[in-house]
Amino acid sequence: MHYGTLRLDNRILRDMLKLVIGNKNYSSWSLRPWLALRANDIPFEEVFIPLYTDQADKDRILGFSRAGKVPTLVDGDVTVWDSLAIIEYLAERFPEAKLWPADRAARAHARAISAEMHSGFAALRNECGMNLHRPIRPVTLSDDARANVDRIQEIWADCHARYGRQGPFLFGAFSGADAMYAPVVHRFRTYAIPVKAEARHYVDAMTSLAAFQEWTRDGLAETLLIDRFENV
């Protein structure tokens, strides 16, 4: 469980947000809302359900969301599934966290690139699945995957050019957009994908983030292997 910096009584514990996640080693979608919460010290209970094990674990996931997938956020009588939907909910629920930029144009930009990550880059996802403890080595990427890599670095470089004076993340301060792009930072490392100089600052900023480091440590400590992800 993650309680941030607050001292919690039993009532707060009972009413605390619950975030249902899968294996930290593999689950890129789980990382996104987890990072949005943890990087902002928002207290929550972490509910871990291993993926691709048996029907009992599948049923546990279905008990939280009929979509049958992780992540799922439970906030009292509100249940939200899908990473981007959860981040949008958190932005409304905790406006002080400033998960979207205050400026209207920057906020629209942040939402656009987050949606692009959410629905795009299929080739890179398929060819470079998230697997933190995979030995670092390159793979031969398809033309589509290389185009994905170029586009992602273009996004990072463009954000730095526009907002870099405000801080090291995509829109200066850490935002929901950074949570959406965090798994790609892992993929670039794991598959030894070269990072251009104009995008290097962003990788450095993300890997220096305490919450990002915490997830990485936890994922590397996991021992449960999923065979379908170990052959890449």
Side-chain angles (χ1 to χ4, degrees), residues 1-231:
M1 297 182 186
H2 298 293
Y3 304 141
T5 58
L6 302 177
R7 298 188 63 175
L8 305 173
D9 60 25
N10 289 335
R11 179 185 60 79
I12 296 175
L13 283 170
R14 184 182 66 249
D15 296 338
M16 182 179 290
L17 297 172
K18 292 180 175 62
L19 183 67
V20 184
I21 64 170
N23 312 56
K24 289 183 177 178
N25 183 50
Y26 301 110
S27 185
S28 59
W29 292 106
S30 295
L31 168 58
R32 293 176 166 107
W34 186 98
L35 197 63
L37 287 161
R38 190 63 170 145
N40 287 290
D41 287 326
I42 299 171
F44 68 100
E45 178 185 349
E46 180 182 304
V47 180
F48 165 63
I49 303 178
L51 303 176
Y52 302 106
T53 51
D54 53 30
Q55 188 59 44
D57 285 328
K58 180 67 174 177
D59 289 342
R60 287 181 64 202
I61 295 173
L62 288 168
F64 287 99
S65 168
R66 295 308 299 171
K69 297 180 180 180
V70 294
T72 295
L73 181 78
V74 179
D75 183 14
D77 60 356
V78 175
T79 299
V80 188
W81 56 99
D82 180 276
S83 293
L84 187 53
I86 293 171
I87 290 171
E88 289 283 11
Y89 178 79
L90 294 174
E92 293 184 3
R93 178 76 163 76
F94 301 96
E96 68 278 9
K98 299 179 180 178
L99 278 168
W100 297 123
D103 177 76
R104 180 167 57 89
R107 188 165 62 251
H109 186 185
R111 283 189 161 119
I113 65 168
S114 296
E116 184 176 355
M117 170 53 66
H118 185 265
S119 61
F121 307 111
L124 181 63
R125 296 181 198 279
N126 292 334
E127 297 172 33
C128 299
M130 185 159 137
N131 183 346
L132 301 186
H133 60 63
R134 176 188 183 275
I136 297 174
R137 61 176 183 269
V139 293
T140 301
L141 298 178
S142 68
D143 290 344
D144 286 344
R146 286 197 297 271
N148 289 171
V149 168
D150 289 344
R151 172 57 184 154
I152 288 166
Q153 296 197 58
E154 178 184 51
I155 289 170
W156 292 350
D158 177 55
C159 285
H160 181 63
R162 296 190 192 202
Y163 312 105
R165 291 185 180 181
Q166 301 173 34
F169 297 100
L170 292 174
F171 294 86
F174 179 87
S175 72
D178 297 297
M180 290 301 296
Y181 278 81
V184 179
V185 175
H186 274 307
R187 285 181 163 97
F188 277 32
R189 179 197 66 86
T190 301
Y191 297 91
I193 296 172
V195 178
K196 298 175 182 178
E198 57 268 31
R200 182 76 244 174
H201 72 282
Y202 182 64
V203 172
D204 292 342
M206 287 300 297
T207 55
S208 297
L209 185 69
F212 186 94
Q213 294 175 349
E214 181 182 347
W215 176 283
T216 303
R217 287 193 302 270
D218 290 350
L220 289 171
E222 289 181 349
T223 58
L224 180 62
L225 299 182
I226 301 176
D227 289 341
R228 64 195 294 179
F229 299 139
E230 290 298 321
N231 299 316

